[in-house]
Each structure stands twice: as C-alpha cells, then as structure tokens.
C-alpha cells in the first residue's frame, strides 16, 4: 500500500528527547517499511526514517521555542491534501485540524487518538465531524466520546523488541518510577509504596514548568527519605538499565491514562508492573502474570512484597505476544484494509442549521448518513 504518516511537528520523528506520540509514529513507520509498504512520512526535517521524508518544517517546533503549533500544522495539512491522490491511506497522528480539511477524503483517512478525550473544549469538533475514521489506543480511552464517533479499531501501542532488551535477572532490587512528575502520575504514591514495603525507589522523571509547584510543595520534601533516590530525566539508552534492573515498575496513576508506554517498556525488559487500575491499565497488564493491578495502597504494598515471585520470562512473553511493533502494525494494516474495503468510512451530515465545509449551511431536516465508496488501491 501507499501510505502517508502525518506526524505532529512538535518533535522530530523519533524525538530527540520527550515525545511519546512521535516515538510511536516512528515505530509504525519503520515497521511498515520493513513489511514492504511504500510509506511517506510528513514530519519535521530533522526526523530520521527509512521512509520517504516530506519535511514540513526544518526542525521540531518545541525545541525552536514555538509556543503555538497551529500555523505549522495547517501548512503541513495543506501539502498533505495537495498530495492526497498519491496515497491509498492517509494516517493522521495530530489532534483535530485535519477533520474539516479532509472531509472529502474520509474514505482514505484515519486518525489515531493519542491523548485523553475528555477535554470539553474539543467536543464541538468531535460532535460535528463524526465521519472521520478513528483508532483508539485503548478501549477505555473511547468512553468520553460521542456515540456517533466513527471507530475503526482499538490498537494498542507496540515497540520494537530490541528497544528495551530482556533482562532475565534484575540486579538492582528497587522499584522504578519513570516519566513525569505530575499530580495524575502520583509519584507520592510510589514513595509511600517504597517506604511502607521497605524496598528502595528510584525516580527518573522530569519536572515540567506546569508541575513545578507540585514538585516544590509535595514531592521534593518527600524524596529525602533514605529509601528514595531522585535521578531526574534520563535518555533512551539509560532507560534500558534503569528498567531492566528494577524489581518492578511503580505505575500508581490517578487518571484515565489512554495507554502508558512505560508499562510495555518495562514488560519488554521482563520487569513486572505494579499499577493502580485506572484508564488502560486492565487492558495492558495481565494480573498475576505481567504484574499486579491494585486499587488501594494496602494492595500496592502487598504487591511490592510478592512481585519478586513473578517469573520475568512470563512478563517478557506477555509483551512479545501483544505489544511489539510487529503486532501493532499488523493490526494497523488490517485497519487500512477495512478502510479501503468501505468499512468505517461513513461521512455523517451535520445537524440541520449547522455549517459544514463540505455541504455549506444545512436547513430543514437533518440528512441521513452519506456512504462514500472506497477509492481503488
């Protein structure tokens, strides 16, 4: 297939530092190329890929200091639309701007929803442009969306097997907390888990400006306990040893996490996950095999004490069966085939009196759904 991957312009693909979505886009793109597809990646010019790179800005916008990325994305989408005839499938990984611009091309488009979907500000778009075929990264992620949303599939993230290599023996004997210091990630819970269980905790996480007050007032006073070590932000190479030598990953989230890449990164290394059962956690963790799902602090502390008995080979096997890049891309190719076969490509007309870029102002009774025939490959 001829496939366009449309990435955010915030970071390079893959990102030099932070950037979960761009990292997933890179894994999808490289695996599609490996499987023999003709792939064009629309991304920043400092991206590295074996696909054809359509550079839409010289560098990632965040590192250049751009605060509003709207203009850059609109310019990129203009180029994608002008080249749409070159592709069988156009796969978007940006939030919303493509919905109205590509309404005439929904038969060959799909959008992976990478973030949380319970933001009220976005609902007018979700409610108006209901024809865009969507892919969720967990079933739980879908819950806030309108019933009229055009879901094509749920496809969990997957990563290359070699990214976080298997560590059959964890030499560190510590709990690992990896990611970002924020109230919804609950590093305070991870610290309590360590202190109450008597197991050391290492925290490798960055502090964004938005979370500086939370760090100053809540977390920083807690990290001076002898069982707690704050390392700071680490890179991809350091992540391998950090996760691979951990007794377990502490994932004590307190929000509807759409997926949580760090869970499968840990499982890839053979490291089990102790996670509070919010968001996508029950879809990712196999309780008693790849970790433990808990709902209270007492359960979390008990899990810390018994996690050493979980075979690391079983954790890695769970990862290999469900969360590799190969598994993920196989599911995406199936979704592309469904799209081109005419499944999931329904354009629904906006309600009477609304304005649609495709249909103009609609008066009187709302029309029924319009079925658009799939274009030939």
């Amino acid at each position: 297939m001829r496939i366009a991957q449309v990435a955010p312009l915030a970071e390079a693909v893959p990102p030099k530092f932070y950037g979960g979505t761009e990292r997933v886009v890179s894994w999808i793109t490289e695996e599609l190329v490996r499987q023999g597809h003709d792939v064009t990646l629309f991304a920043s010019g400092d991206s590295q890929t074996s696909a054809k790179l359509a550079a839409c800005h010289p560098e990632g916008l965040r590192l250049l200091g751009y605060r509003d990325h709207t203009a850059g994305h609109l310019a990129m989408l203009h180029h994608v639309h002008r080249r749409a005839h070159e592709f069988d499938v156009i796969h978007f990984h940006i939030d919303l701007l493509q919905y109205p611009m590509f309404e005439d091309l929904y038969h060959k488009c799909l959008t992976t929803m990478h973030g949380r979907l319970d933001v009220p500000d976005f609902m007018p778009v979700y409610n108006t442009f209901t024809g865009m075929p969507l892919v969720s990264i967990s079933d739980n992620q879908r819950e806030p969306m309108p019933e009229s949303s055009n879901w094509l599939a749920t496809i969990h993230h997957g990563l290359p097997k070699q990214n976080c290599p298997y560590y059959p023996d964890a030499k560190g004997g510590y709990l690992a907390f990896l990611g970002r210091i924020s109230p919804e990630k609950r590093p305070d819970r991870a610290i309590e888990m360590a202190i109450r269980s008597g197991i050391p905790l290492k925290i490798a996480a960055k502090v964004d400006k938005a979370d500086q007050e939370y760090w100053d007032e809540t977390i920083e006073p807690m990290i001076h306990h002898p069982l707690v070590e704050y390392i700071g932000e680490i890179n991809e190479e350091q992540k391998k040893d950090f996760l691979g030598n951990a007794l377990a990953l502490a994932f004590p989230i307190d929000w509807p996490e759409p997926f949580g890449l760090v869970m499968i990164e840990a499982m890839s290394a053979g490291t089990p996950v102790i996670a509070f059962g919010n968001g996508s956690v029950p879809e990712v963790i196999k309780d008693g095999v790849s970790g433990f799902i808990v709902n209270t602090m007492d359960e979390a502390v008990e899990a810390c004490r018994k996690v050493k008995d979980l075979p690391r080979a079983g954790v890695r096997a769970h990862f290999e069966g469900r969360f590799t890049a190969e598994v993920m891309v196989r599911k995406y190719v199936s979704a592309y085939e469904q799209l081109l076969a005419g499944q999931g490509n329904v354009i629904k007309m906006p309600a009477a009196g609304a304005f649609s870029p495709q249909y103009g102002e609609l008066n009187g009774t709302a029309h029924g759904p319009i079925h658009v025939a799939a274009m030939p490959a």
Side-chain angles (χ1 to χ4, degrees):
M1 276 184 276
R2 300 168 301 162
I3 304 165
Q5 295 290 329
V6 185
L9 292 175
E11 310 286 345
V13 176
K16 294 179 173 66
F17 300 103
Y18 182 77
T21 297
E22 292 84 357
R23 188 164 287 113
V24 173
V25 174
S26 178
W27 296 335
I28 294 172
T29 299
E30 299 310 304
E31 181 62 24
L32 282 170
V33 172
R34 191 191 72 79
Q35 293 184 16
H37 297 281
D38 181 359
V39 185
T40 299
L41 173 64
F42 290 84
S44 62
D46 52 345
S47 299
Q48 300 293 320
T49 181
S50 58
K52 301 169 186 174
L53 178 61
C56 299
H57 199 275
E59 297 179 55
L61 300 178
R62 184 179 72 89
L63 294 180
L64 291 175
Y66 285 68
R67 298 180 65 181
D68 189 335
H69 301 171
T70 304
H73 282 139
L74 285 173
M76 176 175 68
L77 290 173
H78 172 72
H79 293 304
V80 176
H81 197 276
R82 290 186 65 181
R83 295 184 58 185
H85 64 280
E86 300 177 24
F87 308 112
D88 302 312
V89 173
I90 304 172
H91 188 169
F92 294 103
H93 301 273
I94 60 177
D95 289 328
L96 300 172
L97 296 177
Q98 70 276 17
Y99 282 48
M101 190 179 295
F102 284 80
E103 198 174 17
D104 60 326
L105 294 170
Y106 282 172
H107 57 271
K108 61 162 63 179
C109 295
L110 73 159
T111 296
T112 294
M113 311 298 283
H114 286 272
R116 63 187 303 171
L117 301 179
D118 58 347
V119 182
D121 307 37
F122 296 165
M123 286 301 163
V125 168
Y126 298 148
N127 281 311
T128 300
F129 300 97
T130 55
M132 171 64 80
L134 305 176
V135 172
S136 52
I137 57 176
S138 66
D139 288 335
N140 180 267
Q141 182 196 31
R142 298 184 180 193
E143 291 186 2
M145 290 286 279
E147 291 184 6
S148 57
S149 298
N150 190 11
W151 293 110
L152 188 63
T154 288
I155 301 177
H156 295 135
H157 288 330
L159 58 94
K161 294 179 182 180
Q162 68 275 13
N163 272 41
C164 291
Y166 175 50
Y167 281 61
D169 300 304
K171 299 178 180 178
Y174 55 86
L175 299 176
F177 180 95
L178 176 64
R180 177 167 54 89
I181 299 293
S182 65
E184 66 269 17
K185 300 288 187 180
R186 293 302 297 266
D188 58 316
R189 281 179 173 174
I191 294 171
E192 184 177 350
M193 288 164 61
I195 293 173
R196 287 182 55 182
S197 66
I199 299 172
L201 170 70
K202 292 187 178 184
I203 302 174
K206 67 170 186 169
V207 182
D208 287 335
K209 289 182 180 179
D211 298 308
Q212 189 65 49
E213 183 178 348
Y214 174 68
W215 165 261
D216 292 339
E217 296 184 1
T218 303
I219 302 303
E220 198 280 335
M222 300 178 71
I223 64 172
H224 302 290
H225 191 281
L227 284 173
V228 180
E229 179 184 1
Y230 177 69
I231 298 171
E233 189 173 5
I234 60 176
N235 61 32
E236 289 299 297
E237 194 61 32
Q238 294 169 315
K239 184 189 295 184
K240 297 175 183 178
D241 283 342
F242 180 75
L243 288 175
N245 284 317
L247 176 67
L249 173 73
F251 195 69
I253 58 168
D254 194 17
W255 73 296
E257 177 83 61
F259 186 77
L261 275 176
V262 67
M263 289 191 287
I264 64 172
E265 290 174 326
M267 290 190 294
S268 175
T271 299
V273 181
I274 301 172
F276 277 67
N278 297 310
S280 64
V281 166
E283 299 176 47
V284 178
I285 303 301
K286 188 173 182 180
D287 192 47
V289 175
S290 59
F292 294 108
I293 301 173
V294 301
N295 295 298
T296 67
M297 185 54 62
D298 286 343
E299 291 177 1
V301 172
E302 179 60 25
C304 290
R305 293 172 178 150
K306 63 184 183 180
V307 73
K308 64 181 182 298
D309 296 326
L310 288 182
R312 294 178 69 87
V315 178
R316 172 72 182 194
H318 181 64
F319 160 77
E320 290 189 351
R322 295 187 56 197
F323 299 112
T324 65
E326 184 176 359
V327 169
M328 171 179 63
V329 168
R330 197 161 58 234
K331 293 177 180 178
Y332 270 115
V333 170
S334 177
Y336 299 159
E337 291 170 346
Q338 290 178 48
L339 183 68
L340 296 178
Q343 302 174 36
N345 58 355
V346 176
I347 297 179
K348 298 184 178 70
M349 298 284 279
F355 181 84
S356 161
Q358 184 173 357
Y359 304 109
E361 186 171 347
L362 304 175
N363 297 309
T365 304
H367 294 269
I370 302 296
H371 295 263
V372 181
M375 295 289 286

